[in-house]
Amino acid sequence: MAQLQACYQSTAMPPPADIVKVAIEWPGANAQLIEMDQKRPLSSIIREVCDGWSLSGAEQFALRYADGPQLYITEQSRGDIKNGTILRLAISPARAARQLLERIQSHGIDARLEALKELAKLSADPTFATEFINMEGIGTLARLVESGTHFGEMLAFTLTAFLELMDHGIVSWDLISLSFIKQIAGYVNQPMVDVSILQRSLAILESMVLNSHSLYHRVAQEITVGQLIGHLQVSNQEIQTYAIALINALFLKAPEDRRQEMASTLAQKHLRSIILNHVIRGNRPIKAEMAHQLYVLQVLTFNLLEERMMTKMDPNDQTQRDIIFELRRIAFDGENDPTGTEKRKAMYTKDYKMLGFTNHVNPAMDFTQTPPGMLALDNMLYLAKVHQDTYIRIVLENSSREDKHECPFGRCAIELTRMLCEILQVGELPNEGCNDYHPMFFTHDRAWEEFFCVCIQLLNKTWKEMRATAEDFNKVMQVVREQITRALAMKPPSLDQLKNKLRGLNYSEILRLRQSERMSQDDFQSPPIIELRERIQPEILELIKQQRLNRLCEGSCFRKLGNRRRQEKFWFCRLSLNHKVLHYGDLDESPQGEVPFELLSDKIPVSDIKSVVTGKDCPHMKEKSALKQNKEVLELAFSVLYDPDETLNFVAPNKYEYCIWTDGLCALLGREMGSDLTRSDLDTLISMEMKLRLLDLENITIPEAPPPVPKEPSSYNFTYNYS
């Protein structure tokens, strides 16, 4: 009995916090099962392991993870080792770097190929990379590329290793030689080159442009835009993605005076139509990274409008004033009246009032506010010249009204331009985590102007539907903004489809949607209703809690933060069915379904979790590399803090998953679920439950048993008109 009690006590006692039980492997030998004391120096533990296999020279060895990326373990990273981890004894990073450096310069082709293959894999390890770079390894790889003697797989592994090493940020990109750039650019400009070599060459050039101002100019001289556009016409979406990424990088880093020139060159090379036909309308679904690059290109293209948007009109500039004269002439004089301007100078003030300008005497003053500045005048002139009939109809039908319901075209066009700039965020840099591109903007060479033309017609139509007067101007603009944002959210594939969406979102439909949303959010304030709500709320919160925990049991896939988006690494995390353990582990690719617990090698007892922190308070968001992450990434970051002083860091794929996981983890800790999603779900479910309970059921007998199923009809020769 005493032995049994002692056994029970030994199993019940938790292991010391500084002791982790691991297995260590060595080829051709039985694994050693040891209790690693995290307070002991790592060199002492390695020496003990080597003694167990009678290996001399313990200083020449190191420990690596046996699974996943197989990173080297250092004094700084050893805290990540968990109970049950399988490690591997390996040669030290310095020794491995020295051996590989010798082997990649050997004369034997097979030996060199194997060395480069191993180097490409090891270069992702920061510990190894530091040693290899300190031995001038990057210079050696650069010379191998410059020599032009490597081809096929050998060259692909060389470029992979080079890119991985440079991405650690240990060496400045400014040290790259011109001959290396010319060689890499040559692979991109060649009509026929191996896909793996082309992909890595595009990635290297993109990194050069983004990380070095001086290299931007060199790359821009070596790369032809025509050749990059040619890579968009292939069937490989990875190559297309890297090509657009390089175009975006060149666009982003170009001096302001060169961006318009580059945009003109891309337009002459039919970039837009090639992207539309070979990417957006291709036979393959758009992957997340391609969607992001299309979004970036869309943002950079619209940002070309920023200069005009922030340019005030000079009332004394005759050239600019002539544009306003042209607007008046097209509206009131017609094409065949060249002398009309001289004859009607005295009537200009009246005409400008009919055109809807705020300043009737000098309408140039209407364009002195930025934004939208001169961009509004550009839009108006485009409408007047390209869609002349529409322009004349809008102006004349409003200028002829006598009931104070006329829509002031000039004022509306200026305010609409400002609104569209806000909606499409003209002048703002792309967000790292955003994929929000609109296919319709790739369907026309003058997509911005055409978008304005569609929206100004919508504004005029909505004004008439609302029977608005000048006092209702702001109300009309609010409705139009809602119409446009709702239509854009539907992602119409073309401008014609946008028109159809807007046609369905007339003023009556907006009122109906507002009323429906308002009813769904009604919060009655009478004391009985408030009391009912308070009684219902705990039940609904418990329902939401169970849903969150069920989702955590299903698990989610998360992306690891890295320097390059297109070489994504994933990991999966899920809660055990008894809600007592978090299981997680690395994955080679994003899973298509639920990942079994057996494949998730690491785990954290829920009882060890201290707290959950979010946003900039997360440890991984405080690191130097993470400081470059934008606001959107910060909003999706959260960390689990657990004993003794460990963290498990997350970046959710989207806002929904972020809310699910932060809510679920808070529920596990017995804390309040405070996400936006919980508040929305709570309001929706309480509203539904209250409406069900408040149904007027007076004098209605509710049967205890379900009603019988009616007999089948004698024939089915009947129809029902749903209209």
Side-chain angles (χ1 to χ4, degrees):
M1 185 66 181
Q3 290 178 337
L4 183 62
Q5 187 175 8
C7 180
Y8 173 77
Q9 289 174 345
S10 66
T11 57
M13 290 177 59
D18 296 317
I19 302 295
V20 287
K21 297 181 179 181
V22 299
I24 302 179
E25 299 177 337
W26 176 255
N30 293 327
Q32 294 187 39
L33 303 178
I34 70 168
E35 293 186 351
M36 181 183 289
D37 186 349
Q38 294 287 46
K39 291 183 178 180
R40 286 178 61 193
L42 199 57
S43 57
S44 172
I45 296 172
I46 293 172
R47 187 177 298 107
E48 182 180 302
V49 171
C50 289
D51 290 343
W53 283 313
S54 302
L55 298 173
S56 59
E59 66 279 358
Q60 297 293 319
F61 292 92
L63 292 176
R64 292 172 61 185
Y65 288 99
D67 301 318
Q70 300 182 5
L71 299 177
Y72 277 102
I73 295 167
T74 64
E75 290 289 354
Q76 292 74 31
S77 65
R78 63 186 296 179
D80 296 332
I81 302 174
K82 307 294 186 300
N83 281 314
T85 302
I86 301 176
L87 306 180
R88 179 175 298 160
L89 187 67
I91 60 173
S92 68
R95 184 179 173 189
R98 194 179 307 108
Q99 290 181 358
L100 285 174
L101 196 58
E102 294 172 356
R103 289 166 57 194
I104 63 176
Q105 299 177 82
S106 65
H107 297 292
I109 294 178
D110 292 340
R112 200 185 315 166
L113 177 61
E114 285 301 313
L116 287 168
K117 185 176 181 180
E118 186 176 348
L119 177 63
K121 182 178 179 182
L122 276 174
S123 295
D125 188 308
T127 308
F128 170 84
T130 302
E131 297 290 346
F132 190 80
I133 290 171
N134 289 339
M135 296 176 186
E136 303 297 328
I138 284 184
T140 302
L141 292 178
R143 287 190 292 273
L144 291 176
V145 174
E146 292 168 11
S147 68
T149 57
H150 284 53
F151 304 97
E153 265 192 316
M154 192 175 293
L155 178 58
F157 288 131
T158 304
L159 297 179
T160 300
F162 178 87
L163 187 57
E164 291 285 0
L165 291 166
M166 291 300 296
D167 272 347
H168 291 292
I170 301 171
V171 178
S172 171
W173 283 92
D174 290 320
L175 300 177
I176 302 302
S177 68
L178 182 59
S179 58
F180 181 85
I181 297 173
K182 287 180 176 291
Q183 191 69 35
I184 297 297
Y187 299 136
V188 173
N189 291 329
Q190 285 178 18
M192 297 294 292
V193 68
D194 185 80
V195 170
S196 58
I197 295 172
L198 176 59
Q199 180 176 311
R200 289 157 179 77
S201 298
L202 288 167
I204 289 172
L205 292 175
E206 180 194 1
S207 293
M208 287 180 181
V209 172
L210 292 176
N211 290 287
S212 171
H213 179 71
S214 61
L215 291 189
Y216 157 76
H217 295 284
R218 295 180 180 178
V219 173
Q221 292 172 356
E222 297 296 330
I223 293 295
T224 63
V225 173
Q227 190 61 45
L228 286 179
I229 291 177
H231 293 312
L232 298 176
Q233 297 172 279
V234 300
S235 58
N236 187 321
Q237 191 172 121
E238 294 296 320
I239 296 298
Q240 292 176 325
T241 303
Y242 278 95
I244 295 180
L246 180 53
I247 291 173
N248 287 338
L250 290 167
F251 217 142
L252 184 64
K253 294 298 180 178
E256 290 187 11
D257 57 341
R258 287 265 348 259
R259 289 179 187 171
Q260 289 287 357
E261 179 185 337
M262 184 176 176
S264 299
T265 303
L266 294 173
Q268 292 171 5
K269 298 291 184 179
H270 309 292
L271 172 67
R272 178 199 58 77
S273 59
I274 289 172
I275 288 177
L276 179 67
N277 295 322
H278 293 274
V279 179
I280 296 175
R281 294 179 179 172
N283 296 324
R284 300 167 306 281
I286 301 293
K287 295 181 180 178
E289 178 56 25
M290 174 60 85
H292 173 73
Q293 294 301 336
L294 292 174
Y295 154 77
V296 172
L297 181 60
Q298 173 185 293
V299 171
L300 296 177
T301 303
F302 283 149
N303 282 357
L304 295 173
L305 304 168
E306 183 181 12
E307 182 182 356
R308 293 294 283 174
M309 180 183 76
M310 301 307 295
T311 300
K312 296 181 179 180
M313 185 172 187
D314 182 0
N316 299 317
D317 188 322
Q318 188 59 42
T319 304
Q320 296 179 1
R321 290 167 61 89
D322 287 344
I323 299 176
I324 299 178
F325 293 155
E326 182 70 3
L327 291 174
R328 194 210 63 80
R329 185 193 66 77
I330 294 173
F332 301 116
D333 288 353
E335 291 290 334
N336 300 318
D337 188 10
T339 62
T341 300
E342 293 298 326
K343 292 180 180 180
R344 299 178 58 191
K345 278 186 177 180
M347 300 180 64
Y348 275 9
T349 299
K350 179 182 176 182
D351 289 348
Y352 291 145
K353 181 179 180 181
M354 295 168 68
L355 275 170
F357 289 112
T358 303
N359 192 318
H360 309 151
V361 178
N362 186 5
M365 299 302 296
D366 286 15
F367 300 95
T368 55
Q369 288 189 349
T370 58
M374 290 295 290
L375 184 60
L377 188 59
D378 295 342
N379 287 341
M380 295 165 71
L381 184 63
Y382 181 88
L383 175 69
K385 288 194 168 185
V386 179
H387 299 279
Q388 192 170 114
D389 291 344
T390 299
Y391 168 70
I392 294 174
R393 176 179 57 79
I394 292 174
V395 172
L396 294 185
E397 76 177 17
N398 286 290
S399 62
S400 61
R401 301 186 69 160
E402 299 292 340
D403 55 1
K404 297 185 180 180
H405 289 287
E406 66 275 5
C407 176
F409 169 74
R411 184 184 177 192
C412 288
I414 293 170
E415 187 58 33
L416 177 64
T417 301
R418 188 197 331 271
M419 180 197 298
L420 297 183
C421 289
E422 291 174 359
I423 292 173
L424 296 177
Q425 300 178 327
V426 174
E428 296 187 18
L429 290 176
N431 288 326
E432 178 66 21
C434 187
N435 301 337
D436 189 25
Y437 81 98
H438 295 276
M440 69 177 184
F441 290 131
F442 292 88
T443 63
H444 201 286
D445 289 328
R446 304 293 295 272
W448 165 263
E449 291 86 349
E450 289 293 322
F451 183 47
F452 169 83
C453 293
V454 171
C455 293
I456 193 68
Q457 294 178 72
L458 168 72
L459 196 160
N460 185 59
K461 173 173 170 284
T462 302
W463 186 284
K464 289 188 290 185
E465 290 173 348
M466 295 178 66
R467 292 191 55 79
T469 63
E471 290 76 16
D472 301 317
F473 183 83
N474 290 333
K475 292 180 181 178
V476 175
M477 297 308 298
Q478 289 173 4
V479 172
V480 171
R481 175 186 281 271
E482 186 172 346
Q483 290 171 315
I484 293 171
T485 52
R486 286 182 183 272
L488 286 177
M490 302 178 196
K491 294 293 180 70
S494 67
L495 289 164
D496 287 336
Q497 287 292 321
L498 174 68
K499 293 176 185 177
N500 291 336
K501 302 293 184 187
L502 291 173
R503 202 172 292 122
L505 287 168
N506 54 37
Y507 180 53
S508 298
E509 178 64 12
I510 292 295
L511 288 179
R512 189 192 68 78
L513 290 170
R514 286 180 174 180
Q515 179 68 15
S516 174
E517 291 169 358
R518 193 158 43 239
M519 288 181 65
S520 67
Q521 297 171 1
D522 275 347
D523 187 10
F524 305 110
Q525 297 301 316
S526 63
I529 299 298
I530 294 174
E531 183 181 350
L532 176 60
R533 184 184 183 91
E534 290 174 351
R535 290 181 59 185
I536 293 173
Q537 185 163 319
E539 302 173 19
I540 302 299
L541 280 172
E542 183 61 27
L543 184 66
I544 294 173
K545 174 184 174 181
Q546 291 305 319
Q547 187 270 341
R548 300 295 193 262
L549 294 176
N550 288 340
R551 279 287 289 108
L552 264 61
C553 290
E554 294 173 9
S556 297
C557 180
F558 300 92
R559 182 168 61 90
K560 287 190 172 183
L561 285 177
N563 293 326
R564 299 201 308 282
R565 293 171 53 93
R566 290 175 297 286
Q567 291 193 3
E568 293 185 329
K569 296 179 180 179
F570 302 94
W571 65 287
F572 197 89
C573 186
R574 62 182 298 198
L575 179 66
S576 63
L577 300 181
N578 61 5
H579 299 174
K580 291 185 177 181
V581 179
L582 276 178
H583 296 263
Y584 65 97
D586 293 337
L587 300 175
D588 294 330
E589 57 184 18
S590 181
Q592 299 301 315
E594 192 175 275
V595 176
F597 289 109
E598 295 77 20
L599 298 181
L600 305 176
S601 56
D602 299 312
K603 57 185 178 181
I604 301 173
V606 172
S607 58
D608 288 351
I609 298 177
K610 294 179 179 178
S611 64
V612 178
V613 295
T614 60
K616 62 183 180 181
D617 295 327
C618 298
H620 59 315
M621 289 292 108
K622 295 180 180 179
E623 298 171 1
K624 181 178 178 181
S625 60
L627 291 176
K628 300 179 181 178
Q629 301 297 326
N630 60 28
K631 179 181 177 183
E632 194 154 342
V633 174
L634 283 173
E635 290 177 348
L636 298 177
F638 60 98
S639 297
V640 171
L641 309 183
Y642 61 99
D643 286 336
D645 290 306
E646 305 290 339
T647 62
L648 182 62
N649 301 316
F650 298 74
V651 176
N654 51 55
K655 189 68 175 178
Y656 176 80
E657 289 291 333
Y658 170 85
C659 293
I660 288 289
W661 275 85
T662 53
D663 282 345
L665 292 169
C666 286
L668 281 175
L669 300 179
R671 297 173 186 171
E672 181 181 353
M673 300 180 293
S675 74
D676 294 338
L677 183 62
T678 291
R679 286 191 289 272
S680 174
D681 288 350
L682 184 63
D683 289 342
T684 301
L685 293 172
I686 285 182
S687 176
M688 291 174 59
E689 183 67 17
M690 289 178 66
K691 287 175 181 177
L692 285 172
R693 296 195 184 192
L694 294 173
L695 283 175
D696 186 7
L697 300 178
E698 188 177 355
N699 298 324
I700 297 177
T701 303
I702 301 177
E704 295 183 0
V709 178
K711 294 181 180 180
E712 291 189 11
S714 57
S715 71
Y716 289 89
N717 299 326
F718 58 86
T719 61
Y720 186 84
N721 187 354
Y722 287 92
S723 62

